[in-house]
Amino acid sequence: MVQITPLQIMQLTVTGFGCFADEHTWTFGRMTTVTGHNYQGKSTIADAIAYALTGAPFFGGRDLDRLQNEDSPFMRVELTVRTDDGKTHEIRRARQGGKTALSVDGTTTTQERFAERFGSRDLILSLLNPLYFAEALGGDGRTLIEQYLPSVPHEAVMDK
């Protein structure tokens, strides 16, 4: 499977997620600001994007039951993204009865296969939320950085 690097979030649809019992859809541009009064769903939107991409909330953790709207028997998040090559992909994650299903472009997949293509959970959450990198990963953040940045030989540093 080919790894996709940069992507742009185009659209988000949630049902039974957080404070949104019914289906709600947002369309995003290249630069989008989400504003609103307290308790209007701004954090829920962040959680939904993180959940679609990683299976975890915006700040990490595994407490998925708190993400589901108490009045809904299931929760579903659909995220449409565009990659650098101009292709769009639909990522869909649904949870019902404690079981989660993940699909990309209509094909069921595992989180491991998803991570091979889009990036690891820690990488995505660190990009979405720098506090996750600093607070949740702590010292393990160095390992994450070393995975994605090439090592620089000592001689090259000394030459500069």
Side-chain angles (χ1 to χ4, degrees), residues 52-78:
L53 294 172
T54 68
F58 187 67
F59 284 100
R62 302 250 183 246
D63 187 14
L64 299 180
D65 290 336
R66 77 166 181 82
L67 298 178
Q68 186 168 337
N69 184 284
E70 61 188 32
D71 296 329
S72 182
F74 69 94
M75 70 178 182
R76 185 184 79 237
V77 176
E78 295 176 5

Side-chain angles (χ1 to χ4, degrees), residues 139-148:
D140 292 335
R142 179 180 177 156
T143 304
L144 181 66
I145 289 173
E146 289 172 346
Q147 287 177 336
Y148 292 96

Side-chain angles (χ1 to χ4, degrees), residues 87-156:
K87 294 181 182 175
T88 59
H89 301 278
E90 183 179 280
I91 300 161
R92 177 185 230 187
R93 199 177 293 263
R95 181 174 167 85
Q96 185 170 10
K99 296 189 181 204
T100 301
L102 170 64
S103 67
V104 177
D105 298 331
T107 303
T108 302
T109 190
T110 64
Q111 185 61 40
E112 292 78 23
R113 297 284 296 183
F114 183 86
E116 289 172 7
R117 188 169 182 190
F118 291 96
S120 72
R121 174 182 181 263
D122 285 340
L123 174 66
I124 292 169
L125 288 176
S126 294
L127 293 171
L128 291 174
N129 179 4
L131 284 177
Y132 176 84
F133 180 82
E135 295 175 1
L137 290 183
D140 292 335
R142 179 180 177 156
T143 304
L144 181 66
I145 289 173
E146 289 172 346
Q147 287 177 336
Y148 292 96
L149 294 178
S151 61
V152 178
H154 176 74
E155 297 77 25

Side-chain angles (χ1 to χ4, degrees), residues 22-93:
D22 298 323
E23 184 175 292
H24 282 73
T25 299
W26 298 269
T27 301
F28 300 99
R30 290 194 56 77
M31 187 86 126
T32 300
T33 303
V34 178
T35 63
H37 295 286
N38 291 341
Y39 303 103
Q40 297 299 307
K42 300 179 303 295
S43 296
T44 300
I45 291 170
D47 276 336
I49 292 169
Y51 176 71
L53 294 172
T54 68
F58 187 67
F59 284 100
R62 302 250 183 246
D63 187 14
L64 299 180
D65 290 336
R66 77 166 181 82
L67 298 178
Q68 186 168 337
N69 184 284
E70 61 188 32
D71 296 329
S72 182
F74 69 94
M75 70 178 182
R76 185 184 79 237
V77 176
E78 295 176 5
L79 191 65
T80 304
V81 298
R82 181 177 21 217
T83 56
D84 271 0
D85 59 8
K87 294 181 182 175
T88 59
H89 301 278
E90 183 179 280
I91 300 161
R92 177 185 230 187
R93 199 177 293 263

